[in-house]
């Protein structure tokens, strides 16, 4: 018997909009597995045997989007591992698809194998996002891109490459937008309502 198609919720928003924080909350409260494209890329970068380590490292520092073949394979592998481990087939995928290449690659490789439920979009002004990322860096995130220079580039990428993807999904009525500028608790109250309905 064919297994049921995994359900996917994409989580998008500017760097520092609260994607990771809210995904952790979602996992605590609902039967979802959280996959962060950025975390998977950072783990692959840190893998000494990876042939993509250097490429990923430069892309992250420059705030550029890694070619989708790499990211999509990491996501597919993580989904399969997690389903094999019996963790269920509901996924919140954070930080993906980030540009047209991501979107096309996903549709081609995963579109038919998954069921996209909706896109959760955390809307948050740039100043707040930048402050959060700078604080996160100062608090020891250890990330190579939580600094002023990288953040400027990450925001450029967000505006020019990611925003159009959110608009694309909005046209298909798939976007659920939440005001991400508020406290994590206030934001989660709204998020919970979306996942309970
Ligand atoms: O989502 P997060 O802020 O952790 O992403 C960090 C970096 O990882 C991005 O700025 C980008 O360089 C890389 N990334 C990517 N493709 C994605 C997600 C993240 O290249 N879909
Ligand atoms: Mg994150």
């Amino acid at each position: 018997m064919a297994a049921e198609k995994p359900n996917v919720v994409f989580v998008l928003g500017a760097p520092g909009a609260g994607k990771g924080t809210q995904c952790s909350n979602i996992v605590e409260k609902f039967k979802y597995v959280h996959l962060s494209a950025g975390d998977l890329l950072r783990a692959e970068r840190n893998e000494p045997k990876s042939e993509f380590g250097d490429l990923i490292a430069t892309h992250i520092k420059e705030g550029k989007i890694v070619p989708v073949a790499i990211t999509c394979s990491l996501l597919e592998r993580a989904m399969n591992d997690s389903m094999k481990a019996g963790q269920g087939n509901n996924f919140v995928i954070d930080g993906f698809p980030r540009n047209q290449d991501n979107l096309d690659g996903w549709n081609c490789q995963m579109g038919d194998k998954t069921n996209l439920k909706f896109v959760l979009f955390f809307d948050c002004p740039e100043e707040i996002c930048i402050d959060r990322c700078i604080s996160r860096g100062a608090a020891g995130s250890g990330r190579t891109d939580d600094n002023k220079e990288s953040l400027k580039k990450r925001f450029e990428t967000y505006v020019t490459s990611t925003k159009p993807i959110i608009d694309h999904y909005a046209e298909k009525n798939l976007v659920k937008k939440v005001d991400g500028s508020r406290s994590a608790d206030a934001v989660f109250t709204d998020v919970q309502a979306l996942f309970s309905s």
Side-chain angles (χ1 to χ4, degrees):
M1 191 186 75
E4 236 179 276
K5 276 189 193 181
N7 294 311
V8 168
V9 173
F10 287 137
V11 182
L12 292 173
K19 303 184 293 292
T21 304
Q22 296 303 326
C23 283
S24 304
N25 289 340
I26 292 164
V27 166
E28 255 184 51
K29 189 99 189 191
F30 302 95
K31 247 189 124 262
Y32 272 82
V33 172
H34 173 209
L35 299 179
S36 155
D39 286 351
L40 289 167
L41 287 166
R42 280 183 286 274
E44 180 69 16
R45 174 197 61 191
N46 295 344
E47 198 56 64
K49 277 185 273 171
S50 170
E51 54 177 313
F52 305 121
D54 292 345
L55 180 148
I56 296 173
T58 355
H59 276 70
I60 288 183
K61 204 145 185 239
E62 295 294 317
K64 290 194 194 143
I65 307 304
V66 172
V68 68
I70 298 174
T71 316
C72 200
S73 301
L74 292 171
L75 285 169
E76 183 170 22
R77 187 172 71 194
M79 287 174 81
N80 287 336
D81 287 351
S82 144
M83 286 188 290
K84 262 185 226 151
Q87 289 163 340
N89 63 346
N90 294 316
F91 295 90
V92 274
I93 299 188
D94 143 25
F96 188 94
R98 273 294 229 286
N99 66 2
Q100 190 67 43
D101 176 58
N102 275 190
L103 178 63
D104 294 341
W106 175 270
N107 285 341
C108 183
Q109 188 174 332
M110 300 300 288
D112 289 342
K113 297 185 203 167
T114 54
N115 169 38
L116 176 63
K117 291 181 71 177
F118 59 92
V119 176
L120 179 58
F121 166 40
F122 292 113
D123 194 19
C124 189
E126 177 165 342
E127 314 79 66
I128 296 182
C129 289
I130 301 248
D131 280 352
R132 286 180 186 166
C133 292
I134 298 281
S135 313
R136 182 169 74 183
S141 71
R143 285 181 53 155
T144 57
D145 60 352
D146 280 341
N147 57 73
K148 275 221 160 78
E149 303 80 77
S150 293
L151 274 163
K152 191 166 174 286
K153 296 172 184 163
R154 290 164 68 192
F155 263 87
E156 272 169 29
T157 301
Y158 171 70
V159 172
T160 59
S161 304
T162 309
K163 202 63 185 49
I165 303 304
I166 299 168
D167 296 342
H168 157 83
Y169 283 123
E171 273 168 32
K172 301 176 125 203
N173 269 325
L174 280 167
V175 173
K176 298 188 192 249
K177 180 163 103 171
V178 172
D179 172 4
S181 68
R182 301 161 298 158
S183 72
D185 286 348
V187 174
F188 190 54
T189 303
D190 288 4
V191 169
Q192 251 175 289
L194 296 177
F195 278 80
S196 309
S197 65

CSV table of all heavy atoms in Angstrom, one decimal, residues 65-91:
chain,number,residue,atom,x,y,z
A,65,ILE,N,21.3,32.5,-2.2
A,65,ILE,CA,20.6,31.2,-2.1
A,65,ILE,C,21.3,30.1,-2.8
A,65,ILE,O,21.7,30.2,-4.0
A,65,ILE,CB,19.2,31.4,-2.7
A,65,ILE,CG1,18.4,32.6,-2.1
A,65,ILE,CG2,18.4,30.1,-2.5
A,65,ILE,CD1,18.3,32.5,-0.6
A,66,VAL,N,21.6,29.0,-2.1
A,66,VAL,CA,22.3,27.9,-2.6
A,66,VAL,C,21.4,27.2,-3.7
A,66,VAL,O,20.2,27.2,-3.6
A,66,VAL,CB,22.5,26.9,-1.4
A,66,VAL,CG1,23.0,25.5,-1.8
A,66,VAL,CG2,23.4,27.5,-0.3
A,67,PRO,N,22.1,26.6,-4.7
A,67,PRO,CA,21.3,26.0,-5.8
A,67,PRO,C,20.4,24.9,-5.2
A,67,PRO,O,20.7,24.1,-4.3
A,67,PRO,CB,22.4,25.3,-6.6
A,67,PRO,CG,23.6,26.2,-6.4
A,67,PRO,CD,23.5,26.7,-5.0
A,68,VAL,N,19.2,24.9,-5.8
A,68,VAL,CA,18.1,24.0,-5.2
A,68,VAL,C,18.4,22.5,-5.2
A,68,VAL,O,17.9,21.8,-4.3
A,68,VAL,CB,16.8,24.3,-5.9
A,68,VAL,CG1,16.8,23.8,-7.4
A,68,VAL,CG2,15.6,23.7,-5.2
A,69,ALA,N,19.2,22.1,-6.1
A,69,ALA,CA,19.5,20.6,-6.1
A,69,ALA,C,20.0,20.2,-4.8
A,69,ALA,O,19.7,19.1,-4.3
A,69,ALA,CB,20.5,20.3,-7.3
A,70,ILE,N,20.9,21.0,-4.2
A,70,ILE,CA,21.5,20.7,-2.9
A,70,ILE,C,20.4,20.8,-1.8
A,70,ILE,O,20.2,19.8,-1.1
A,70,ILE,CB,22.7,21.7,-2.6
A,70,ILE,CG1,23.8,21.5,-3.7
A,70,ILE,CG2,23.2,21.4,-1.2
A,70,ILE,CD1,24.9,22.6,-3.5
A,71,THR,N,19.8,21.9,-1.7
A,71,THR,CA,18.8,22.1,-0.6
A,71,THR,C,17.6,21.1,-0.7
A,71,THR,O,17.2,20.6,0.3
A,71,THR,CB,18.3,23.5,-0.7
A,71,THR,OG1,19.4,24.4,-0.9
A,71,THR,CG2,17.6,23.9,0.6
A,72,CYS,N,17.1,20.9,-1.9
A,72,CYS,CA,16.0,20.0,-2.0
A,72,CYS,C,16.3,18.6,-1.7
A,72,CYS,O,15.5,17.9,-1.0
A,72,CYS,CB,15.5,20.1,-3.5
A,72,CYS,SG,13.8,19.6,-3.7
A,73,SER,N,17.5,18.1,-2.0
A,73,SER,CA,18.0,16.8,-1.6
A,73,SER,C,18.1,16.7,-0.1
A,73,SER,O,17.7,15.6,0.4
A,73,SER,CB,19.3,16.4,-2.3
A,73,SER,OG,19.2,16.5,-3.7
A,74,LEU,N,18.6,17.7,0.5
A,74,LEU,CA,18.8,17.7,2.0
A,74,LEU,C,17.4,17.6,2.6
A,74,LEU,O,17.1,16.8,3.5
A,74,LEU,CB,19.5,18.9,2.5
A,74,LEU,CG,21.0,19.0,2.1
A,74,LEU,CD1,21.5,20.4,2.5
A,74,LEU,CD2,21.8,17.9,2.8
A,75,LEU,N,16.4,18.3,2.1
A,75,LEU,CA,15.1,18.3,2.6
A,75,LEU,C,14.4,16.9,2.4
A,75,LEU,O,13.8,16.4,3.3
A,75,LEU,CB,14.2,19.4,1.9
A,75,LEU,CG,14.5,20.8,2.4
A,75,LEU,CD1,13.7,21.8,1.5
A,75,LEU,CD2,14.0,21.1,3.8
A,76,GLU,N,14.6,16.4,1.2
A,76,GLU,CA,13.9,15.1,0.9
A,76,GLU,C,14.5,14.0,1.8
A,76,GLU,O,13.8,13.2,2.3
A,76,GLU,CB,14.1,14.7,-0.6
A,76,GLU,CG,13.4,13.4,-0.9
A,76,GLU,CD,13.3,13.1,-2.4
A,76,GLU,OE1,14.1,13.6,-3.2
A,76,GLU,OE2,12.4,12.3,-2.8
A,77,ARG,N,15.8,14.1,2.0
A,77,ARG,CA,16.4,13.0,2.8
A,77,ARG,C,16.0,13.2,4.3
A,77,ARG,O,15.6,12.2,4.9
A,77,ARG,CB,18.0,13.2,2.7
A,77,ARG,CG,18.7,12.1,3.5
A,77,ARG,CD,20.2,12.1,3.2
A,77,ARG,NE,20.8,13.3,3.9
A,77,ARG,CZ,22.0,13.7,3.6
A,77,ARG,NH1,22.8,13.2,2.7
A,77,ARG,NH2,22.5,14.8,4.3
A,78,ALA,N,15.9,14.4,4.7
A,78,ALA,CA,15.4,14.6,6.1
A,78,ALA,C,14.0,14.2,6.3
A,78,ALA,O,13.6,13.6,7.3
A,78,ALA,CB,15.6,16.1,6.5
A,79,MET,N,13.1,14.4,5.3
A,79,MET,CA,11.7,14.0,5.4
A,79,MET,C,11.7,12.5,5.4
A,79,MET,O,11.0,11.9,6.2
A,79,MET,CB,11.0,14.5,4.1
A,79,MET,CG,10.7,16.0,4.2
A,79,MET,SD,9.9,16.6,2.7
A,79,MET,CE,8.2,16.1,3.0
A,80,ASN,N,12.4,11.8,4.5
A,80,ASN,CA,12.4,10.4,4.5
A,80,ASN,C,12.9,9.8,5.8
A,80,ASN,O,12.3,8.8,6.3
A,80,ASN,CB,13.2,9.9,3.3
A,80,ASN,CG,12.5,10.1,2.0
A,80,ASN,OD1,11.2,10.3,1.9
A,80,ASN,ND2,13.2,10.2,0.9
A,81,ASP,N,14.0,10.3,6.3
A,81,ASP,CA,14.6,9.8,7.6
A,81,ASP,C,13.6,9.9,8.7
A,81,ASP,O,13.3,9.0,9.5
A,81,ASP,CB,15.8,10.6,8.0
A,81,ASP,CG,17.0,10.3,7.1
A,81,ASP,OD1,16.9,9.3,6.3
A,81,ASP,OD2,18.1,11.0,7.1
A,82,SER,N,12.9,11.1,8.7
A,82,SER,CA,12.0,11.3,9.8
A,82,SER,C,10.7,10.5,9.7
A,82,SER,O,10.2,10.0,10.7
A,82,SER,CB,11.7,12.8,9.8
A,82,SER,OG,10.4,13.1,10.2
A,83,MET,N,10.3,10.2,8.5
A,83,MET,CA,9.1,9.3,8.3
A,83,MET,C,9.5,7.9,8.6
A,83,MET,O,8.7,7.2,9.3
A,83,MET,CB,8.5,9.4,6.9
A,83,MET,CG,7.8,10.8,6.7
A,83,MET,SD,6.9,10.9,5.1
A,83,MET,CE,8.2,11.0,4.0
A,84,LYS,N,10.7,7.5,8.2
A,84,LYS,CA,11.1,6.1,8.5
A,84,LYS,C,11.3,5.9,10.1
A,84,LYS,O,11.0,4.9,10.6
A,84,LYS,CB,12.5,5.9,7.9
A,84,LYS,CG,12.4,5.1,6.6
A,84,LYS,CD,13.8,4.8,6.1
A,84,LYS,CE,13.9,5.1,4.6
A,84,LYS,NZ,15.3,5.5,4.2
A,85,ALA,N,11.6,7.0,10.7
A,85,ALA,CA,11.8,6.9,12.2
A,85,ALA,C,10.4,7.0,12.9
A,85,ALA,O,10.4,7.0,14.1
A,85,ALA,CB,12.7,8.1,12.7
A,86,GLY,N,9.4,7.1,12.1
A,86,GLY,CA,8.0,7.1,12.7
A,86,GLY,C,7.6,8.4,13.3
A,86,GLY,O,6.7,8.4,14.2
A,87,GLN,N,8.2,9.5,12.8
A,87,GLN,CA,7.8,10.8,13.4
A,87,GLN,C,6.6,11.4,12.7
A,87,GLN,O,6.3,12.6,13.0
A,87,GLN,CB,9.0,11.7,13.4
A,87,GLN,CG,10.1,11.2,14.4
A,87,GLN,CD,11.5,11.8,14.1
A,87,GLN,OE1,11.7,12.3,13.0
A,87,GLN,NE2,12.3,11.8,15.1
A,88,GLY,N,5.9,10.7,11.9
A,88,GLY,CA,4.7,11.2,11.3
A,88,GLY,C,5.0,11.8,9.9
A,88,GLY,O,6.2,11.9,9.5
A,89,ASN,N,4.0,12.3,9.3
A,89,ASN,CA,4.2,12.9,7.9
A,89,ASN,C,3.7,14.3,7.8
A,89,ASN,O,3.2,14.7,6.7
A,89,ASN,CB,3.6,11.9,6.9
A,89,ASN,CG,2.1,11.8,7.0
A,89,ASN,OD1,1.6,12.2,8.0
A,89,ASN,ND2,1.5,11.3,6.0
A,90,ASN,N,3.8,15.1,8.9
A,90,ASN,CA,3.4,16.5,8.8
A,90,ASN,C,4.7,17.3,9.0
A,90,ASN,O,5.4,17.2,10.1
A,90,ASN,CB,2.4,16.9,9.9
A,90,ASN,CG,1.1,16.2,9.6
A,90,ASN,OD1,0.6,16.1,8.5
A,90,ASN,ND2,0.5,15.6,10.7
A,91,PHE,N,5.0,18.2,8.1
A,91,PHE,CA,6.2,18.9,8.1
A,91,PHE,C,6.0,20.4,8.1
A,91,PHE,O,5.3,20.9,7.2
A,91,PHE,CB,7.2,18.5,7.0
A,91,PHE,CG,7.6,17.1,7.1
A,91,PHE,CD1,6.9,16.1,6.5
A,91,PHE,CD2,8.8,16.7,7.8
A,91,PHE,CE1,7.3,14.7,6.6
A,91,PHE,CE2,9.2,15.4,7.9
A,91,PHE,CZ,8.4,14.4,7.3
